[in-house]
Structures are given as C-alpha cells and as structure tokens.
Amino acid sequence: MSHPVPIQFQPVDAEALAKATGRIVVVVDEGGKLGAAGRRLDRLMKGALARYLAAPAFVDQKAGEGTVLAWPAGLVAEAVQVVKLDRKADVAQARKAGGAIGRALSEAGTLVLAEGGRHLAELSFGLALRAYDFTAHKTGTAKAPGPVTLMVPNPEAAAAEAAPLAALAEGVFFTRDLVNEPANVLTTYDFAARLAAMQELGLDVEILEEEDLSKLGMRALLGVGQGSESPSKVVAMHWRGGAKDEAPLALVGKGVVFDTGGISIKPAGGMEEMTMDMGGAGVVAGVMRTLALRKAKANVVGLVGLVENMPDGRAQRPGDVVRSMKGDTIEVINTDAEGRLVLADVLWYAQERFNPCGVIDLATLTGAIIVALGHENTGVFSNNDAFCEQFLKAAKAEGEGAWRMPMGDAYDAKLKSRIADMKNIGGRDGGSITAAQFLQRFVKAETPWIHLDIAGTALLQADTALAPKGATGWGVAALNRMIRDRFEK
C-alpha cells in the first residue's frame, strides 16, 4: 500500500540552509518579500534569489506555481525552488503550491522555508497528494523522496492542524491504489481482504458471500457476476464514532473489479481502463479509512458490491429478467449497464439493514456523464435539495468539481419494460439521468439520497495540480468534509 511522504514541521533555522542537501523550497508572497531566513538564503546565493524575485519572470509566475533555480552557488543543495503564494491565498492556492513542491521532491531530501505563508497545513496536504506514485508493479529500485521538512514560525500549531489532513491523505492514497490496481491483482477476494484488514483501525467489517446474497434475494447483483470465476461479495464497513442511538450515514459504492461489458461486450480499444470500474467502491473505502484514522465523531456505514462482469457460458444474457432484493423485476437489455444492477441491491440492503439518515452512492456509471460534463465535474443527482446542497458545498470547499443534474418523470418513463417492472437502460439520450432514475427506484421516498456518477473524474489521462496521471481519489475529500461539517458534533 502507498503511504504519503512523512512531513516534519520544524522551527525556522536560517543556519541550516547552508548545509541542506537535495532541494530547498522558498515560499514567497506576490510582492517577493523575504523573511530573515530568506534573506540569509539570498546572501548564501550571492544575491541570485533577490535578482529572480525582482525579475519579470517572477511577476509573471502564477500563484501556486514554482520555478527552479538549479545548482545555486554558495549552497550544498542541488536546487532552490521558488513557489509563489499570495498573502491572501485561499485553501485551493495553498494546496496548489504544495502540489508544485510535491511534484519534484528530491531523493536527498526537501527543505521548505515558509516563514510567512498562509494555510501551511493545506500546503503540506497538497504536497503529500501530488507526491503520490503508484510503483507496485515496476521492477528495479524505486526512487523514493528523501525526508521533507517544513520550516514554519509555529511548528506545533501547524502540525496539529495538519494531522486530520494527513489522515485524509491516507484515505485518498488508499482509494488511488485500489483504482490503479490491475484486475488480476484486485480480484473480489483481494478487494474484500484489503477492506477486512481495516478492522485493525477500529472498523467493523462484515463480508457477505454469494450464499448470503442469495438468501437475501440479491439476484440483480448476483446476475452481474455469474459469468466470472471470482465470486460476488458485499462488504459492509461500520464506523461507530457518534452517539449510540444515532442513525448512520450510508455510503454505497459500485465495485466492478473488471467490466468487459459481459455478453454486450465493449470495444477492445480502451477496455484496459475498466480496471477502474470499481472506483465508487474505492472512494467509499478511502472515506472509511479516513474516518477511522482521524477518529471521526460520526456514525457511518460504507457498503460496496464487489463483482466482475465477464462473458461466459454462464453469463447473464440480454433479455434475461432478474428479481432484485426489493422484489422488483428488471429486464436486462444491455449487460454493460451492470453497475446499476449491483447498486440496486446494495442500496436496498443498506436501507433495510441500517435504517440510515441518508444514503450517498458513488459509481463509474455512465459514459454519458463524460459527454455531458467532461472530466472536470462529477454528475450529482438527488431527491433532497438540502442534502444535495450540503454535499455541493463540501465539494466546492475541497475543490472537487461537482455539478447537479436534473431528474424527472419523463426520464423515468423511458425505463418502462414490456415484460418486467423496468428495463436496465432507457436509451442513448439522457443516459446518465435515466441511470439515476433507475437507482432512485431502489431508494425509499423518505430517505435523503445522492447519486454521484464519477465516470469522468475517477481516473484521468493527464497530471493535475494534486495528482499524477491515473486515479485521482475524487470524492474522498468532499465526503469527509461533508461528514465533518454535517454529521459530527
């Protein structure tokens, strides 16, 4: 498992700059003003730092970005990186600045001089997130970054503020690792085992096997996995940090460890990315890990449906009719619309078993949401305006793009089936919306519910300010924030 780089907070020590190896980072405001230690560094560099800060290049440098001055005279360090962070910087800018540092940490160590910067804990969080590197399947000697030290005016206060963010970084890394893993490693067995191991953090973890699921009547979920050698499972993770009699928030994740499309098989091009079709379950797992690590004072249960969708002589066929745990029958028009079948049963089970105060499901559910929103925003669907607004507020605060999508009876009518209670698809137009309408049929009217379609945000093909190419961990921070703000007392 990947872990964030350890970060030490220390008092500002100007004398340590001359002997520092690796990389020195100077955090400077938009005016280019240096503190006492910064001026000491400039003298060691024979005025080179001040010359850069007075140059047009620094003026043009955007907030949160860094510029490298390589092999500076007068220092042992191999480079000095100048990171601009405005005096009125917000959380997003501070994290971006941290990301600029985390992008290029030195094997010999990195010393960050932040004498007057704002949001230093957030800067350290951005640093940790961007330093992520998934190397589990690369041979050779891994190039691990050396120690990272942040020199700040009040290290004790900064470290205390950074502690819950360090737990959040662990949760994000856990999600990224799960989403990045290939399907021959992250089988339903392996996924369930990784979740069971979190019992050592204080989570209660229960694994439901196929026999249990059959007794519960989860025919919709079981139908998806019946063509695979890997058995389907449902894993429930319960964190009891709130009042004993307080109803939990339920998080539900789609965990299709590989999706060929089944008999309605996908095109070969790009199918290798379907290792990420368990992204919703990965986010739920990351949130639960975060809550346990920071000892959240809330009751939350995370449930994931783990299946593999394969073509086989036993696989589900287009035209089959399955009965859900709720009792409704579903005509399977397209076996590649499998995630909603998994979620239907887990959503119903979550409500029947735990009587939650609200339910949020996450799934890499539709390509249609990418057509609608690209890779900048997750599609948000809900039956409760207040509940939805709480999530959107949390997502905005964490800088995780989210956009509410419409729902309505006209979309729901597209799911009408000739031979069953409903079809599992409603046609190409409005595909992400009809998928949400399908899921809403398995949510009780009195239960506040949010559906998050993360197909466009779970994994990206380019670096971002806070993540390298690959799994992003989108949603862990927003859900952790929502739980902190709305459910913890």
Side-chain angles (χ1 to χ4, degrees):
M1 177 184 167
S2 303
H3 294 283
V5 59
I7 300 173
Q8 298 293 324
F9 291 87
Q10 293 184 3
V12 176
D13 181 4
E15 298 306 312
L17 298 171
K19 299 178 181 179
T21 58
R23 175 171 290 217
I24 295 174
V25 180
V26 188
V27 181
V28 186
D29 65 29
E30 69 273 27
K33 184 179 179 181
L34 294 170
R39 292 192 295 273
R40 168 66 172 158
L41 180 64
D42 181 54
R43 289 194 295 273
L44 290 169
M45 295 173 65
K46 305 187 187 322
L49 178 57
R51 286 197 300 273
Y52 173 72
L53 295 177
F58 178 72
V59 176
D60 294 339
Q61 185 175 324
K62 295 181 180 178
E65 292 184 349
T67 297
V68 176
L69 309 179
W71 302 109
L75 296 176
V76 178
E78 63 198 34
V80 171
Q81 183 183 27
V82 181
V83 174
K84 182 186 281 189
L85 185 60
D86 295 347
R87 281 168 289 185
K88 295 182 180 180
D90 58 18
V91 168
Q93 288 178 325
R95 290 182 180 180
K96 182 181 178 182
I101 301 168
R103 180 187 293 269
L105 299 177
S106 171
E107 292 180 67
T110 302
L111 188 157
V112 182
L113 179 60
E115 293 182 88
R118 289 170 48 82
H119 301 301
L120 297 177
E122 300 290 352
L123 182 143
S124 72
F125 180 59
L127 187 161
L129 289 185
R130 187 58 184 83
Y132 174 84
D133 190 16
F134 186 69
T135 60
H137 304 291
K138 291 184 178 180
T139 58
T141 303
K143 294 183 178 180
V148 178
T149 302
L150 260 67
M151 285 188 175
V152 299
N154 191 336
E156 293 81 8
E161 189 179 353
L165 291 172
L168 177 56
E170 285 275 0
V172 172
F173 275 40
F174 191 55
T175 296
R176 289 179 180 177
D177 277 1
L178 289 169
V179 176
N180 280 328
E181 281 285 15
N184 62 323
V185 174
L186 192 72
T187 62
T188 58
Y189 287 110
D190 185 76
F191 203 149
R194 296 189 193 202
L195 301 185
M198 289 202 290
Q199 291 178 109
E200 66 187 25
L201 301 179
L203 288 166
D204 292 327
V205 182
E206 180 182 4
I207 301 174
L208 303 180
E209 304 292 354
E210 286 191 341
E211 183 179 355
D212 304 311
L213 305 180
S214 181
K215 289 179 181 178
L216 287 166
M218 292 194 186
R219 307 295 178 188
L221 182 151
L222 288 169
V224 174
Q226 69 189 39
S228 173
E229 292 297 320
S230 294
S232 300
K233 302 172 184 286
V234 169
V235 181
M237 301 160 280
H238 208 152
W239 175 253
R240 296 178 172 87
K244 187 176 181 180
D245 59 347
E246 194 170 60
L249 172 69
L251 306 178
V252 174
K254 170 190 171 183
V256 180
V257 295
F258 194 77
D259 181 22
T260 65
I263 298 301
S264 306
I265 196 163
K266 295 176 180 289
M271 194 193 288
E272 73 280 357
E273 289 188 3
M274 288 299 100
T275 57
M276 52 77 76
D277 210 24
M278 37 57 62
V283 174
V284 170
V287 174
M288 299 308 295
R289 188 174 190 86
T290 300
L291 298 178
L293 286 170
R294 69 175 183 81
K295 306 300 181 188
K297 296 179 179 180
N299 293 332
V300 182
V301 60
L303 300 104
V304 296
L306 307 181
V307 302
E308 185 178 36
N309 189 22
M310 298 289 282
D312 179 82
R314 297 175 294 128
Q316 186 166 254
R317 297 158 291 240
D320 283 0
V321 174
V322 294
R323 185 179 297 274
S324 69
M325 180 183 173
K326 179 186 176 186
D328 290 348
T329 57
I330 305 161
E331 181 186 8
V332 179
I333 301 298
N334 189 323
T335 63
D336 193 25
E338 85 299 332
R340 63 202 70 183
L341 300 175
V342 174
L343 290 174
D345 278 343
V346 183
L347 281 169
W348 195 255
Y349 176 74
Q351 294 166 92
E352 290 287 285
R353 169 81 184 277
F354 297 103
N355 193 27
C357 61
V359 178
I360 302 175
D361 77 74
L362 300 98
T364 50
L365 204 64
T366 67
I369 201 65
I370 304 176
V371 175
L373 299 177
H375 296 280
E376 303 301 316
N377 289 283
T378 282
V380 182
F381 304 81
S382 183
N383 65 356
N384 186 291
D385 291 344
F387 192 48
C388 186
E389 186 56 37
Q390 288 164 1
F391 173 78
L392 291 171
K393 182 179 179 181
K396 183 177 181 180
E398 293 295 332
E400 294 193 314
W403 191 264
R404 189 171 185 182
M405 299 288 287
M407 299 182 72
D409 293 342
Y411 298 107
D412 197 72
K414 297 170 78 66
L415 298 171
K416 185 177 181 181
S417 168
R418 179 179 62 85
I419 62 172
D421 294 329
M422 71 193 82
K423 300 184 296 186
N424 74 324
I425 60 170
R428 289 179 60 84
D429 53 311
S432 62
I433 304 174
T434 54
Q437 294 289 164
F438 179 94
L439 295 177
Q440 188 177 29
R441 293 181 176 217
F442 298 90
V443 177
K444 298 178 181 180
E446 67 273 16
T447 302
W449 163 74
I450 297 171
H451 161 57
L452 301 173
D453 192 335
I454 62 172
T457 52
L459 185 143
L460 301 179
Q461 291 302 317
D463 293 356
T464 67
L466 299 179
K469 174 182 176 180
T472 63
W474 185 99
V476 177
L479 289 168
N480 176 68
R481 167 73 71 121
M482 181 184 184
I483 291 165
R484 189 197 74 184
D485 293 348
R486 168 67 178 81
F487 296 98
E488 294 189 53
K489 297 180 175 64

